[in-house]
Amino acid sequence: MAESLTATALLVLLASAAGLVAVLRSRIAIEKMMAVQLLGTGGAATLLLLGSASAEPALADVALLLVLLSAFSCAAFTLGENEPSEVPTEPDEPS
């Protein structure tokens, strides 16, 4: 059973890495944010599978932390996108 979980974890990791390479080639910022989400979910899935395979419960904690950081980064990106961009103001004219 442990071998099949480890093989599945490797498959998930390879699929995530392939998707990550494809997404990171984009120049659009939101697609790079999607890469962070993919890294979070793929990494968490890999860690959960490896934790089950090795009976190491600490890997589930690390997976939850990875998902939490991924969600916070997505929220920060979304909040940053809603802020108005700074428009350069012209200096005050001397009177």
Side-chain angles (χ1 to χ4, degrees):
M1 182 72 175
E3 291 85 18
S4 65
L5 287 173
T6 304
T8 305
L10 182 63
L11 182 67
V12 169
L13 187 64
L14 289 175
S16 296
L20 193 64
V21 168
V23 171
L24 282 178
R25 296 178 108 190
S26 173
R27 294 181 189 259
I28 301 171
I30 197 156
E31 289 187 4
K32 292 189 182 223
M33 192 66 232
M34 294 306 296
V36 172
Q37 288 293 312
L38 180 66
L39 187 63
T41 55
T46 302
L47 286 173
L48 287 173
L49 286 168
L50 288 176
S52 294
S54 64
E56 185 66 40
L59 288 178
D61 295 338
V62 176
L64 288 175
L65 182 64
L66 191 61
V67 169
L68 185 67
L69 289 175
S70 176
F72 277 140
S73 66
C74 186
F77 179 79
T78 304
L79 290 175
E81 285 289 315
N82 290 335
E83 290 182 4
S85 61
E86 291 185 23
V87 177
T89 59
E90 295 184 22
D92 294 336
E93 294 181 17
S95 48

